[in-house]
Amino acid sequence: NTFVRCRHSWQGHAHWHTLLRARAIESQCYVIASAQCGSHNAKRTSYGHSLVVDPWGEIIVDAGGVDSGETETPTLVTADIDLSQLISIRQRMPIHQHRKNAADY
């Protein structure tokens, strides 16, 4: 799953990491989330913290943001995707087998 979001710094601080970790766990996928960072004008500052989260909800890459003291320089981050971990989690917790097809409703 890939998410792109521009959150205000106060919203991001409260929710960004938690919501993305939840999305990774509930979908049993790696979540890749890009985010703007820094001041855009006098009234708007974005939180930043582009993340990669594994299917177990662990943050494996955090690009930093306005609260980390990092500069507002564009940043490129990479992450290793461990497909064996993905398979293992899906075998131990087979949530996809419990989902009904939306057409059944």
Side-chain angles (χ1 to χ4, degrees), residues 88-103:
S88 174
I89 288 170
R90 289 180 177 179
Q91 287 173 342
R92 291 181 288 146
M93 200 168 53
I95 63 172
H96 294 286
Q97 293 175 7
H98 301 274
R99 293 185 177 167
K100 290 187 176 185
N101 187 337

Side-chain angles (χ1 to χ4, degrees), residues 40-58:
H40 305 285
N41 57 45
K43 295 182 180 181
R44 186 165 154 252
T45 301
S46 293
Y47 181 64
H49 289 276
S50 294
L51 299 175
V52 178
V53 184
D54 74 12
W56 199 246
E58 298 295 323

Side-chain angles (χ1 to χ4, degrees), residues 7-96:
R7 288 208 171 265
H8 294 285
S9 58
W10 61 271
Q11 290 174 307
H13 179 74
H15 301 158
W16 183 245
H17 289 79
T18 303
L19 291 172
L20 291 172
R21 293 178 71 205
R23 297 299 80 80
I25 294 166
E26 73 183 2
S27 65
Q28 293 182 325
C29 292
Y30 280 86
V31 167
I32 301 168
S34 62
Q36 293 179 350
C37 178
S39 299
H40 305 285
N41 57 45
K43 295 182 180 181
R44 186 165 154 252
T45 301
S46 293
Y47 181 64
H49 289 276
S50 294
L51 299 175
V52 178
V53 184
D54 74 12
W56 199 246
E58 298 295 323
I59 296 170
I60 57 176
V61 174
D62 183 339
V66 296
D67 62 341
S68 64
E70 300 294 323
T71 63
E72 296 178 13
T73 305
T75 303
L76 174 67
V77 295
T78 61
D80 291 325
I81 304 298
D82 183 354
L83 294 179
S84 64
Q85 178 192 26
L86 181 65
I87 291 166
S88 174
I89 288 170
R90 289 180 177 179
Q91 287 173 342
R92 291 181 288 146
M93 200 168 53
I95 63 172
H96 294 286

